[in-house]
């Protein structure tokens, strides 16, 4: 009988990122994993958001499970980006909308109100989950629309973390 013993050192997750002159940013996932999310147009995404200093977040609110994930991802992204902008001496304006079929809703001062379909200008993050149109876990840029999609909750949070990392200028750890 031969026994082989190997010492395997597991890497600890990296969930915090430091930027000089900023507070520590904490992420939902291992940053190394988030950086691997398929992305098209990283430099353009960053430039678009930094130059416009505004962001509109949109999602299809027809699925309760996806909605829960969208709330987590939206909160995490918005919190990190607003913090980043404040520490850069700027303000990031955020608008959030969702639709159920042809009915549109907007968030304002902690309340949700039914509205006419808004017209979007500037960068729009359109979130898609497994029940609302996602076909992969990725970030893609088409004109000024950034599609953030995930095949499950983890995929959505990874894509959200990747978007935050792009805007924060973090390309590797």
């Amino acid at each position: 009988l031969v026994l082989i013993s190997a010492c395997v050192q597991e890497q600890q997750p990296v969930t915090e990122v430091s930027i000089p002159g900023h507070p520590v940013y904490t992420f939902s996932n291992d940053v190394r994993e988030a950086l691997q999310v398929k992305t098209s147009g990283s430099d353009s995404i960053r430039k678009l958001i930094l130059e416009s200093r505004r962001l509109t977040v949109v999602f299809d609110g027809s699925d309760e499970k996806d909605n829960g994930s969208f709330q987590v991802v939206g909160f995490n992204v918005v919190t990190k980006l607003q913090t980043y902008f404040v520490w850069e001496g700027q303000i990031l304006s955020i608008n959030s909308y969702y639709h159920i079929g042809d009915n549109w809703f907007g968030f304002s001062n902690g309340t949700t109100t039914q509205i006419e379909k808004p017209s979007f200008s500037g960068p729009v993050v359109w979130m898609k989950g497994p029940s609302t149109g996602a076909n992969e876990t990725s970030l893609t840029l088409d004109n000024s629309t950034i599609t953030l999609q995930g095949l499950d909750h983890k995929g959505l949070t990874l894509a959200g973390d990747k978007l935050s990392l792009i805007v924060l200028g973090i390309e590797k750890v």
Side-chain angles (χ1 to χ4, degrees):
L1 178 67
V2 176
L3 295 174
I4 300 174
S5 174
C7 185
V8 177
Q9 185 176 355
E10 255 185 74
Q11 283 189 324
Q12 293 297 320
V14 175
T15 57
E16 295 183 339
V17 172
S18 295
I19 298 172
H22 286 245
V24 172
Y25 294 91
T26 303
F27 290 82
S28 301
N29 302 285
D30 187 327
V31 172
R32 294 170 296 202
E33 190 177 359
L35 287 169
Q36 299 306 310
V37 169
K38 178 181 170 185
T39 306
S40 70
S42 292
D43 292 337
S44 297
I45 290 171
R46 183 168 199 264
K47 182 178 179 186
L48 180 66
I49 294 172
L50 291 179
E51 288 180 357
S52 71
R53 290 186 257 177
R54 63 185 167 149
L55 189 63
T56 299
V57 179
V58 180
F59 61 91
D60 176 341
S62 64
D63 184 80
E64 191 173 318
K65 189 172 179 183
D66 280 5
N67 288 349
S69 294
F70 296 151
Q71 288 178 14
V72 169
V73 172
F75 177 81
N76 289 342
V77 169
V78 166
T79 301
K80 284 177 191 66
L81 298 190
Q82 285 185 323
T83 301
Y84 178 81
F85 272 79
V86 165
W87 283 87
E88 291 292 311
Q90 301 176 3
I91 301 294
L92 176 65
S93 174
I94 304 281
N95 291 307
S96 299
Y97 305 100
Y98 71 96
H99 69 92
I100 299 174
D102 292 331
N103 296 314
W104 282 84
F105 302 87
F107 300 104
S108 179
N109 298 322
T111 61
T112 303
T113 307
Q114 188 165 355
I115 59 171
E116 294 295 318
K117 181 179 180 180
S119 58
F120 304 121
S121 62
V124 175
V125 174
W126 198 290
M127 295 191 286
K128 295 181 179 183
S131 298
T132 52
N135 56 21
E136 63 183 358
T137 296
S138 65
L139 283 173
T140 54
L141 177 63
D142 182 20
N143 294 317
S144 62
T145 299
I146 303 158
T147 302
L148 184 160
Q149 60 180 333
L151 296 175
D152 54 21
H153 179 77
K154 170 120 178 164
L156 280 163
T157 61
L158 282 167
D161 283 352
K162 176 70 179 273
L163 177 59
S164 296
L165 290 164
I166 288 169
V167 177
L168 271 57
I170 308 295
E171 297 177 3
K172 61 182 176 179
V173 291

